[in-house]
Amino acid sequence: MAKVKTPSQCTRIREALEQGDRLTGMQILNRFGCLNYKGRIADLRKKHQLPIKTDMVRTPTGKRIGVYYIQRSAI
């Protein structure tokens, strides 16, 4: 039986960002099973030249987290 190749974490994260999703680290972990999300974001920025932006937002508990996205004008 032939092995089906699944898209890489970078590919799946890139597709989500290009579709307009805004992702936190926890969302990247839950949706794509990616523990090293900062490394994948760095790969996408450097190797794939994606203009990924980061907004720091405060949660209801007061914690600051990063939200990753691509500005629509940059796609």
Side-chain angles (χ1 to χ4, degrees), residues 2-47:
K3 186 175 181 180
V4 176
K5 185 173 180 172
T6 59
S8 69
Q9 289 175 337
C10 271
T11 299
R12 294 178 7 224
I13 294 167
R14 184 190 77 228
E15 288 171 352
L17 291 171
E18 287 176 340
Q19 291 173 8
D21 290 359
R22 295 174 61 91
L23 302 170
T24 66
M26 187 61 70
Q27 289 169 325
I28 292 171
L29 171 63
N30 291 334
R31 284 179 60 180
F32 310 111
C34 180
L35 291 173
N36 185 15
Y37 69 90
K38 290 181 181 180
R40 298 297 71 78
I41 295 295
D43 288 345
L44 291 169
R45 284 178 172 151
K46 189 169 185 166
K47 294 179 186 173

